[in-house]
Amino acid sequence: MSVGMILLMVTAILVFFGVAQRVLDKLYLTDRAALVLIALMFFGTLLPSVSLGRVRISLGGAVIPLGICLYLFIRADTGREKVRAVLGSLITAGIVYAVGVLMPEEPESIIVDPMFLYGIAGGAVAYVLGRSRRAAFICGVTGVLLADTAVAFMNWRNGIDQPLVLGGAGVFDAAVIAGLLGVILAELVGEVLERMARGTTPPQQTAIENPVRRRRSQR
């Protein structure tokens, strides 16, 4: 079982027990909808990819995640958030692609699986550029898939006839890591900032009058 599938299982458990309710509210998803989408991604990766020439598209690794990104993009609160999501996805893709280019060619010299590095780099950049939970998820997932597409185009340009498996096993792991990490960072940092703001703001007095207290004051 791949790392991406394990992370999906852990996420499903957290959703089932209501731990991720706050994040789901920010993503405009219910518990049931989130569990259904996670199941579609999980079992969709086990289905054969759809072939379109030299491109193979995984249902669970590409179609469902991109569908979620499209939904989050449509539900974005402001136009500025949508712009951040688009620009952030492109910049995230460029940085993930650059990480792949700078990676040593000898597999023996790499301690960590490159897909972990792609996912971590993509998730960190996605949070910085996306800021919100929705935009961070979009940047992380879309950025990794765009970077994989760019690698395939460069291979074709150099005469390497290698098919593009969009959302394949390794890329799926990196996309899941990037998307979840971006959301987690946005949630943690957002929670810290909100608590800091609440700590410096004096509590507001309620507008509801207490008739008993008012009578006592009049005496």
Side-chain angles (χ1 to χ4, degrees):
M1 185 178 295
S2 66
V3 175
M5 299 177 76
I6 295 175
L7 290 176
L8 287 180
M9 292 180 61
V10 173
T11 304
I13 294 173
L14 294 177
V15 171
F16 182 80
F17 286 102
V19 179
Q21 185 61 52
R22 175 185 168 91
V23 178
L24 293 178
D25 290 340
K26 298 292 184 179
L27 298 178
Y28 300 122
L29 291 173
T30 63
D31 293 351
R32 181 176 299 178
L35 290 174
V36 169
L37 291 173
I38 292 173
L40 290 175
M41 291 176 61
F42 186 92
F43 293 105
T45 57
L46 304 177
L47 299 176
S49 302
V50 179
S51 298
L52 299 173
R54 289 190 291 181
V55 180
R56 300 174 185 172
I57 304 176
S58 171
L59 176 63
V63 177
I64 302 300
L66 289 177
I68 298 174
C69 292
L70 179 59
Y71 168 77
L72 296 178
F73 180 81
I74 295 174
R75 293 297 305 271
D77 292 334
T78 62
R80 181 177 299 179
E81 185 178 5
K82 293 182 178 180
V83 172
R84 285 203 309 265
V86 174
L87 295 179
S89 297
L90 296 175
I91 297 174
T92 302
I95 293 179
V96 173
Y97 178 83
V99 171
V101 173
L102 298 176
M103 196 76 64
E105 297 182 358
E106 297 79 9
E108 295 80 7
S109 61
I110 304 175
I111 302 176
V112 184
D113 190 330
M115 289 302 168
F116 291 167
L117 297 179
Y118 299 155
I120 294 173
V125 175
Y127 159 68
V128 173
L129 299 175
R131 301 300 296 275
S132 69
R133 285 82 165 171
R134 294 176 294 271
F137 184 86
I138 295 172
C139 294
V141 173
T142 308
V144 170
L145 295 178
L146 286 176
D148 187 47
T149 304
V151 171
F153 274 105
M154 292 303 298
N155 289 336
W156 296 340
R157 182 180 178 182
N158 294 330
I160 302 176
D161 190 12
Q162 182 177 356
L164 167 61
V165 184
L166 193 61
V171 177
F172 170 72
D173 292 343
V176 171
I177 293 173
L180 293 180
L181 180 60
V183 172
I184 291 172
L185 290 176
E187 174 65 19
L188 293 178
V189 176
E191 177 68 16
V192 171
L193 294 178
E194 289 177 8
R195 290 192 177 187
M196 292 175 61
R198 289 197 300 266
T200 57
T201 304
Q204 297 180 355
Q205 295 183 357
T206 177
I208 302 176
E209 296 183 358
N210 190 331
V212 177
R213 182 179 302 175
R214 198 169 83 178
R215 289 199 194 106
R216 291 179 179 176
S217 63
Q218 290 176 352
R219 293 177 184 176

